[in-house]
């Protein structure tokens, strides 16, 4: 699966709630929808409770017998799929097959009826068997094993099959049921399934864990006129009395999270590529848009498939490949074997699409296609390794796609996309490792975050560096062949690769994958007159575990004539660089040269001074970006002063021609400006900052660069003249040549103006509301408006309303509003919201989507930098001894910037 573009940016950019206003970019973009609690009626709870008691008695009775036979340990039913339950079943069940029929009514309000036969072999039939079905027992109308009818017993989302109805060897359960709707995304004339990570069992009874792979034979009965697509190819269809029955061929063994089907009013495009027929299902009504994109979509899939077959040495494993374009799909893509689902808007591009958008499209196609091997053919054993399939898909996608976009500096892109977000977590007091313990699949959602998306790719690049590209490829071929159609763990892979290198991969993996945090890397340089006589680098573990982060560095030495790169292997506490005795002293020493090297880099004093003075003139774009990232870290550690970085940004921007670097520097400028200096300093700096940003808007040649500068100006503007200019732009009395504004731009300007308390702000907001044509954006703006009000009582009342879960349904709207309430210009008043925001977290985790607790906390703290605000957070944490550890970690990660700012910003003269 692939999160929608901007998942983490959206989170970061919620900071002041204005950088992005487009619904699409702030939309639901998490890669796994997590676990949605079924809302059962009171009566269902009673029934369930009684059944649970009965079932527990049955289980306890059989525990005794289980022990006597020295066989499998029994598992007490709990909600979700626990690790013991999964391990128990994986050891017991084999040769699993599902024959599933679903009857889909025309109207989405009517229930979907299902009939299913689950066939499997059991090694041990002495214990009750739990089949996952997260619905109340009254959703099951009949249950039988072979010819024997079983009375229905359900407990904690499982059907309990008594041992008297089971036997060693072949078993067959037949079930009639009403399928749960939640994972089926039912719309008026189409629906689609989305079962990842363990939601198939909300729709139909199954063993909902990744290491019980089963062949699925699916039958769908749908209204006549509907199309349908599933993992297997369509074998036949009959239409009668307004209903069409479609039979799909049995699939290869697949885990339930990869089962996928869609049905409804779809158009189909076909293309025959050297005997391989691709089909594209879509609902686009603009034929020109389809015509413009169809060949590119087919070509990109074809070339990705060919590349992967060549790289892996294995032909595509599934019988056919279809693509389903779904409007407002939750993710950018989901890799259902043989039927990839995509967000329609990321594949059907407009005529004005930028190179970035084309790259993103090629990337998501290559990513999902890579999953056919990494994830679908070989699947992780448990979701603690979900990062592995994601990092492989990204890694392959970059190899497949990047050569087709030679104008983009991909190494720079990798550095800027992954290092800052990974550091953002690893520098906090509570970082999480890449591979996290997962006790139950209903917590799988909490694994996702910057460490999986950003640190894991960095670690994978190191693995390739250690093994060499060809050696890694050969190791992966062995791995795919050995585990094809089965499951494997990260440890399985590392053990196989370990044989291919002299380095101790197990130790490497322990530090990078199993443990959280990063090393501190220090430069030890000795200079004599104009010569450098000694150079070494040492690493230490800030968390005092004595960990060694084995890594290959590229040491950059700067000279007037250019940069000199020397590789250095830092495999122990200290690595000495061999120095030719006549080596002149460099103007800078960057241990993380070429954007390679992970850690907190403590630069030597000369290097730091050089960059603060001369960074804009440094020749390489990747050196400039690396220096910025390193200086920013240094500022957060209390070294470089925030005002020095602001000054450096203002000198850098006019000279910087690489857009990726401009965006990086604008982001740092914004954060330093709002979070790390006093209000008085900000007011004093405002004219200079605005002048640089307006010059940037003026001088930028490309529209996207103009847009970056304008967004930064809109976010930072403070002077009367600047605000008046923004108001003229908003009221269309003024324009910017080469930068046409769309509806989301005007909305963002209106929000910025309101927060700055311009005269007549309430009328301005009303006028903006009236201007909005798009109904979704209009509803969103109407929701956020009270949070923008100049009247504190209105804001207080709105905030109080967020305690009601009904007012938190539209999470991106809530985040916009919360960031507006806590804007730095309103932080003094908003300090009173911090404690209640934290108090709501547990409720937010229960009722919200997986990224919501983190984003909520970030938004609630976004505008604050005072010691008083920091104290509210530390008091909250210290007063909750039994607080859930995962939420505690979220608060500690999300409050790290506030904690640092409260130490760095001088307290006098503030607000
Ligand atoms: Zn993926």
């Amino acid at each position: 699966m692939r999160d929608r573009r901007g998942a983490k940016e959206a989170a970061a950019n919620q900071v002041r709630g204005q950088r992005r206003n487009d619904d699409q970019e702030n939309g639901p973009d998490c890669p796994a929808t997590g676990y949605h609690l079924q809302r059962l009626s009171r009566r269902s709870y009673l029934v369930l409770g009684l059944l649970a008691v009965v079932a527990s008695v049955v289980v306890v009775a059989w525990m005794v017998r289980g022990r006597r036979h020295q066989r499998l340990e029994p598992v007490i039913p709990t909600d979700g799929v626990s690790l013991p339950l999964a391990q128990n079943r994986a050891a017991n069940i084999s040769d699993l097959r599902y024959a599933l029929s679903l009857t889909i009514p025309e109207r989405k309000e009517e229930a979907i009826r299902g009939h299913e036969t689950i066939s499997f072999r059991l090694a041990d039939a002495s214990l009750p068997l739990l089949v996952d079905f997260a619905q109340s027992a009254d959703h099951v109308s009949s249950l039988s094993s072979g010819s024997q009818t079983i009375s229905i017993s359900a407990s904690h989302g499982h059907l309990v099959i008594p041992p008297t109805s089971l036997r060693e060897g072949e078993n067959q359960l037949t079930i009639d049921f009403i399928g749960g709707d939640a994972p089926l995304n039912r719309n008026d004339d189409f629906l689609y399934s989305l079962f990842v990570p363990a939601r198939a069992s909300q729709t139909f009874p199954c063993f909902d864990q990744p290491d019980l792979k089963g062949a699925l034979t699916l039958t769908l009965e749908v209204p006549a006129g509907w199309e349908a697509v599933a993992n297997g190819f369509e074998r036949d269809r009959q239409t009668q009395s307004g209903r069409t029955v479609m039979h799909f061929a049995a699939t290869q063994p697949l885990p339930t999270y990869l089962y996928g089907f869609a049905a409804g009013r779809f158009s189909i495009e076909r293309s025959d590529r050297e005997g391989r027929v691709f089909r594209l299902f879509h609902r686009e009504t603009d034929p020109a848009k389809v015509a413009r994109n169809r060949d590119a979509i087919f070509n990109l899939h074809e070339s990705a498939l060919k590349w992967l077959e060549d790289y892996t040495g294995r032909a595509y494993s599934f019988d056919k490949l279809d693509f389903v374009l779904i409007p407002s799909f939750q993710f950018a893509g989901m890799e259902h074997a043989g039927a990839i689902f995509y967000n329609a808007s990321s594949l059907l591009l407009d005529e004005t699409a930028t190179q970035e958008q084309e790259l993103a499209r090629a990337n998501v196609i290559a990513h999902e296609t890579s999953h056919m091997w990494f994830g679908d053919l070989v699947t992780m054993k448990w979701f603690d390794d979900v990062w592995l399939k994601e990092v492989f898909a990204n890694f392959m996608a970059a190899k497949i796609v990047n050569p087709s976009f030679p104008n983009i500096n991909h190494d720079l892109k990798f550095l800027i996309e992954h290092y800052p977000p990974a550091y953002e977590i690893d520098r906090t007091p509570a970082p999480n490792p890449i591979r996290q313990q997962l006790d139950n699949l209903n917590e799988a959602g909490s694994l996702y975050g910057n460490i999986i998306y950003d640190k894991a790719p960095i670690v994978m690049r190191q693995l390739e560096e250690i093994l060499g590209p060809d050696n890694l490829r050969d190791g992966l071929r062995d791995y795919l062949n050995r585990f094809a159609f089965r499951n494997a763990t990260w440890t399985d892979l590392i053990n196989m690769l370990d044989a291919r290198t002299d380095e101790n991969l197990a130790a490497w993996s322990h530090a990078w994958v199993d443990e959280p945090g990063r090393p501190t890397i220090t430069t030890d340089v000795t200079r004599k007159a104009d010569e450098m006589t000694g150079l070494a680098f040492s690493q230490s573990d800030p968390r005092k575990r004595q960990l060694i982060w084995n890594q290959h560095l590229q040491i950059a030495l700067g000279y007037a004539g250019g940069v000199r790169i020397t590789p250095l292997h830092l495999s122990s506490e200290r690595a000495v660089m061999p120095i030719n005795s006549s080596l002149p002293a460099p103007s800078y020493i960057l241990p993380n040269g070429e954007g390679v090297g992970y850690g907190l880099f403590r630069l030597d004093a000369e290097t730091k001074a050089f960059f603060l003075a001369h960074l804009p003139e440094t020749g390489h774009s990747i050196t400039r970006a690396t220096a910025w990232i390193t200086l920013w870290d240094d500022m957060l550690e209390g070294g470089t002063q925030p005002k020095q970085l602001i000054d450096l940004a203002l000198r850098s921007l006019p000279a910087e021609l690489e857009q990726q670097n401009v965006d990086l520097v604008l982001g740092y400028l914004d954060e330093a400006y709002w979070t790390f200096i006093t209000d008085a300093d900000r007011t004093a700096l405002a004219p200079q900052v605005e002048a640089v940003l307006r010059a940037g808007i003026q001088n930028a040649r490309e529209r996207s660069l103009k847009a970056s500068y304008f967004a930064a100006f809109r976010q930072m503007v403070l002077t009367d003249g600047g605000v008046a200019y923004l108001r003229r732009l908003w009221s269309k009395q003024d324009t910017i040549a080469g930068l046409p504004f769309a509806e989301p731009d005007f909305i963002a300007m209106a929000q910025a103006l309101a927060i700055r308390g311009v005269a007549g702000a309430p009328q301005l907001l009303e006028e903006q509301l009236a201007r909005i044509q798009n109904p979704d954006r209009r509803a969103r703006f109407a929701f956020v408006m009270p949070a923008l009000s100049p009247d504190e009582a209105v804001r207080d009342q709105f905030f109080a309303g967020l305690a009601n879960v009904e007012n938190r349904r539209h999470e991106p709207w809530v985040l916009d509003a919360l960031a507006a309430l806590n804007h730095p210009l309103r932080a003094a008043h908003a300090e009173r919201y911090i404690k209640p925001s934290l108090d709501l977290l547990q409720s937010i985790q229960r009722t919200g989507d997986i990224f919501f607790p983190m984003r909520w906390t970030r938004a609630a703290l976004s505008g604050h930098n005072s010691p008083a605000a920091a104290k509210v957070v530390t008091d909250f944490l210290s007063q909750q001894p039994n607080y859930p550890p995962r939420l505690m970690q979220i608060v500690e990660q999300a409050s790290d910037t506030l904690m640092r700012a409260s130490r760095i910003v001088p307290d006098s003269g503030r607000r």
Side-chain angles (χ1 to χ4, degrees):
M1 58 204 150
R2 182 66 193 265
D3 61 325
R4 284 178 62 174
R5 204 175 124 63
K8 59 175 179 285
E9 293 155 60
N13 293 335
Q14 290 296 346
V15 171
R16 268 161 291 282
Q18 295 176 43
R19 196 171 299 176
R20 289 169 192 281
N21 245 289
D22 190 29
D23 309 71
Q24 216 167 301
E25 279 168 297
N26 272 346
D29 45 21
C30 76
T33 46
Y35 191 75
H36 287 239
L37 294 171
Q38 289 303 302
R39 288 178 191 85
L40 301 176
S41 67
R42 201 171 267 263
R43 192 172 141 265
S44 316
Y45 274 119
L46 266 177
V47 172
L48 255 186
L50 280 173
L51 287 167
V53 171
V54 173
S56 305
V57 171
V58 170
V59 168
V60 169
W62 285 98
M63 275 169 77
V64 178
R65 190 179 154 182
R67 291 254 165 72
R68 204 168 56 226
H69 286 243
Q70 292 283 304
R71 288 178 161 187
L72 288 173
E73 289 291 313
V75 176
I76 309 287
T78 58
D79 288 345
V81 177
S82 68
L83 182 57
L85 173 62
Q87 287 171 335
N88 181 297
R89 292 195 303 208
N92 197 13
I93 296 169
S94 59
D95 198 15
L96 177 63
R97 288 142 289 150
Y98 297 93
L100 172 66
S101 300
L102 295 174
T103 302
I104 298 167
E106 175 111 49
R107 293 183 51 239
K108 67 172 190 274
E109 294 76 19
E110 289 174 25
I112 292 179
R113 297 192 170 274
H115 174 81
E116 180 188 23
T117 302
I118 313 178
S119 309
F120 53 94
R121 294 185 67 80
L122 276 185
D124 179 345
S126 66
L127 295 170
L129 180 69
L130 301 186
V131 179
D132 308 327
F133 190 45
Q135 298 294 342
S136 56
D138 58 11
H139 276 58
V140 180
S141 54
S142 82
L143 171 62
S144 60
S145 172
S147 55
Q148 180 195 354
T149 302
I150 308 173
S151 63
I152 296 154
S153 159
S155 173
H156 293 273
H158 313 279
L159 300 173
V160 182
I161 314 294
T164 45
S165 305
L166 298 167
R167 57 178 173 224
E168 282 179 19
E170 183 71 18
N171 287 267
Q172 209 167 59
L173 299 175
T174 304
I175 309 167
D176 287 289
F177 60 93
I178 291 172
D181 281 341
L184 292 182
N185 303 286
R186 296 180 71 179
N187 292 278
D188 282 337
D189 58 356
F190 75 103
L191 60 78
Y192 62 93
S193 68
L194 192 58
F195 294 146
V196 68
R199 304 183 72 204
S201 52
Q202 292 181 24
T203 292
F204 65 97
C206 59
F207 300 109
D208 212 357
Q209 64 188 70
D211 59 345
L212 278 177
K213 289 187 168 188
L216 170 68
T217 309
L218 181 69
T219 302
L220 293 179
E221 191 202 303
V222 298
W226 280 26
E227 284 295 343
V229 54
N231 304 99
F233 64 84
E234 185 186 321
R235 236 172 41 210
D236 59 60
R237 69 167 83 182
Q238 298 98 33
T239 300
Q240 229 174 25
S241 330
R243 305 285 297 169
T244 299
V245 178
M246 296 184 197
H247 294 104
F248 296 90
T251 65
Q252 282 82 357
L254 293 173
T256 44
Y257 86 90
L258 289 175
Y259 290 169
F261 58 85
R265 300 205 177 271
F266 282 95
S267 305
I268 306 174
E269 299 283 319
R270 288 181 179 74
S271 180
D272 190 333
R273 303 289 169 118
E274 297 174 23
R276 207 174 240 159
V277 178
F278 295 139
R279 295 186 303 169
L280 175 69
F281 288 68
H282 69 88
R283 291 172 50 81
E284 178 54 55
T285 49
D286 175 359
K289 193 166 188 174
V290 175
R292 193 165 60 232
N293 287 285
R294 76 181 285 284
D295 285 349
I297 294 172
F298 287 129
N299 291 343
L300 287 165
H301 280 96
E302 186 189 19
S303 56
L305 272 178
K306 278 186 175 162
W307 190 96
L308 282 153
E309 289 185 327
D310 182 54
Y311 182 90
T312 63
R314 276 191 77 98
Y316 174 65
S317 300
F318 305 99
D319 297 328
K320 54 90 180 167
L321 186 54
D322 293 324
F323 327 122
V324 188
L325 307 196
I326 292 169
S328 301
F329 188 52
Q330 286 90 329
F331 316 146
M334 177 62 211
E335 68 267 21
H336 303 120
I340 303 174
F341 291 6
Y342 290 103
N343 186 308
S345 64
S346 48
L347 262 58
L348 296 176
L349 300 184
D350 289 324
E351 272 168 306
T352 54
T354 61
Q355 193 179 28
E356 279 285 315
Q357 286 172 305
E358 289 194 5
L359 172 63
R361 172 171 74 178
N363 210 291
V364 70
I365 287 174
H367 177 105
E368 302 307 334
T369 309
S370 301
H371 274 315
M372 297 298 123
W373 283 259
F374 299 95
D376 293 14
L377 177 64
V378 178
T379 306
M380 69 267 173
K381 200 165 167 49
W382 187 239
F383 264 83
D384 59 348
D385 271 331
V386 67
W387 67 278
L388 186 56
K389 74 177 176 72
E390 292 310 317
V391 77
F392 270 132
N394 278 342
F395 183 74
M396 297 299 153
K399 284 184 181 298
I400 295 168
V401 167
N402 289 356
S404 313
F405 293 84
N407 294 335
I408 291 176
N409 184 336
H410 295 286
D411 288 337
L412 182 61
K413 192 162 188 285
F414 187 91
L415 172 72
I416 291 176
E417 269 185 7
H418 297 305
Y419 280 75
Y423 289 165
E424 192 179 303
I425 302 298
D426 259 352
R427 74 164 68 94
T428 71
N432 58 279
I434 291 178
R435 198 173 193 216
Q436 298 176 76
Q437 170 79 24
L438 177 67
D439 298 324
N440 192 309
L441 289 185
N442 62 15
E443 291 181 341
S446 69
L447 301 178
Y448 295 88
N450 294 11
I451 292 297
I452 280 195
Y453 285 111
D454 299 301
K455 189 178 182 182
I458 294 168
V459 168
M460 185 54 55
R461 200 167 68 164
Q462 289 181 13
L463 185 62
E464 186 177 41
E465 172 71 30
I466 292 172
L467 287 160
D470 291 351
N471 203 14
L472 176 63
R473 179 202 60 209
D474 294 346
L476 290 176
R477 287 179 174 185
D478 289 350
Y479 162 83
L480 290 170
N481 288 332
R482 176 152 160 211
F483 295 105
F485 298 110
R486 298 195 294 131
N487 298 79
T489 63
W490 165 245
T491 314
D492 291 328
L493 174 63
I494 280 300
N495 288 343
M496 289 182 74
L497 295 177
D498 213 355
R500 296 178 163 269
T501 168
D502 294 336
E503 288 199 34
N504 182 348
L505 277 190
W508 170 85
S509 166
H510 176 70
W512 287 102
V513 177
D514 297 334
E515 291 285 337
R518 58 177 182 168
T520 302
I521 296 174
T522 317
T523 306
D524 311 313
V525 57
T526 40
R527 299 166 196 255
K528 211 176 264 173
D530 290 340
E531 291 197 346
M532 179 166 69
T533 54
L535 182 58
F537 300 92
S538 20
Q539 62 170 308
S540 60
D541 179 359
R543 300 167 70 81
K544 313 267 181 255
R545 293 157 298 180
Q546 316 283 302
L547 273 186
I548 295 292
W549 284 264
N550 181 354
Q551 58 181 320
H552 293 262
L553 301 173
Q554 301 285 337
I555 311 298
L557 303 179
Y559 293 98
V563 59
R564 181 167 150 175
I565 303 291
T566 313
L568 182 73
H569 188 180
L570 183 59
S571 59
S572 58
E573 272 176 30
R574 188 176 159 86
V576 178
M577 209 162 102
I579 294 210
N580 182 324
S581 58
S582 64
L583 197 65
S587 45
Y588 64 84
I589 302 164
L590 206 51
N592 45 346
E594 303 294 89
V596 179
Y598 188 86
L600 169 62
F601 291 91
R602 311 306 299 247
L603 301 175
D604 62 287
E606 285 86 351
T607 297
K608 205 155 95 177
F610 176 85
F611 281 137
L612 286 173
H614 301 291
L615 196 156
E617 303 106 75
T618 309
H620 278 63
S621 57
I622 202 156
T623 302
R624 293 196 299 278
T626 309
W628 263 107
I629 291 168
T630 310
L631 289 173
W632 183 258
D633 249 352
D634 189 58
M635 187 277 285
L636 292 177
E637 295 296 320
T640 304
Q641 293 300 302
K643 280 203 276 186
Q644 289 179 293
L645 287 189
I646 291 174
D647 174 64
L648 182 61
L650 297 178
R651 283 185 289 119
S652 292
L653 287 166
E656 185 59 66
L657 298 175
E658 167 62 68
Q659 167 139 17
Q660 298 191 65
N661 280 350
V662 171
D663 289 335
L664 179 74
V665 175
L666 287 174
Y668 284 144
L669 175 62
D670 181 278
E671 197 168 346
Y673 186 70
W674 285 115
T675 308
F676 288 98
I677 57 176
T678 63
D679 295 353
D681 283 342
R682 191 181 309 124
T683 307
L685 278 166
Q688 204 189 342
V689 168
E690 289 172 27
V692 168
L693 297 177
R694 286 183 69 170
I697 300 169
Q698 184 92 44
N699 299 337
R701 288 202 200 103
E702 310 223 333
R703 191 208 281 192
S704 57
L705 191 58
K706 267 187 201 297
S708 290
Y709 273 110
F710 177 71
F713 172 76
R714 193 190 66 221
Q715 280 161 226
M716 289 185 245
V717 62
L718 274 181
T719 64
D720 291 345
V723 173
Y725 174 59
L726 187 66
R727 186 162 195 156
R728 287 200 305 279
L729 290 169
W730 174 78
S731 59
K732 304 182 185 177
Q733 292 164 329
D734 210 337
T735 55
I736 296 175
L739 187 65
F741 292 130
E743 199 164 70
D745 299 308
F746 288 110
I747 293 172
M749 286 186 245
Q751 294 191 356
L753 290 166
I755 284 175
R756 280 152 185 79
V758 296
Q763 295 82 344
L764 182 148
L765 291 172
E766 288 295 344
E767 192 185 330
Q768 178 59 49
L769 181 68
R771 271 203 215 167
I772 301 174
Q773 301 291 319
N774 177 297
D776 296 336
R777 279 199 283 267
R778 193 167 200 283
R780 180 177 183 150
F781 189 76
F783 178 87
V784 176
M785 265 172 66
L788 298 164
S789 168
D791 183 343
E792 290 174 352
V794 173
R795 304 206 299 267
D796 291 350
Q797 195 188 358
F798 173 84
F799 176 77
L802 293 178
N804 180 350
V805 62
E806 290 308 317
N807 294 328
R808 301 196 304 259
R809 290 277 173 236
H810 295 280
E811 294 176 3
W813 303 5
V814 173
L815 294 172
D816 264 10
L818 197 58
L821 288 173
N822 289 284
H823 190 278
L825 292 172
R826 292 175 168 178
H829 178 78
E831 240 162 57
R832 72 195 62 190
Y833 304 143
I834 297 177
K835 173 73 166 56
S837 297
L838 297 174
D839 288 337
L840 279 173
L841 258 185
Q842 281 181 282
S843 157
I844 278 167
Q845 188 182 39
R846 269 196 309 278
T847 55
D849 224 328
I850 61 168
F851 283 150
F852 199 37
M854 177 60 114
R855 291 182 177 175
W856 167 276
T857 315
R858 279 190 198 285
L861 303 179
S862 59
H864 300 280
N865 60 4
S866 70
K871 186 167 183 304
V872 177
V873 179
T874 41
D875 287 351
F876 174 83
L877 289 173
S878 65
Q879 286 157 11
Q880 316 251 359
N882 299 317
Y883 202 63
R886 295 225 188 236
L887 276 186
M888 173 85 82
Q889 191 171 46
I890 282 176
V891 176
E892 290 190 89
Q893 291 180 352
S895 61
D896 186 63
T897 303
L898 165 61
M899 296 301 161
R900 289 174 191 275
S902 71
R903 294 191 293 264
I904 291 170
V905 185
D907 200 31
S908 55
R910 310 175 68 228
R911 287 199 255 287

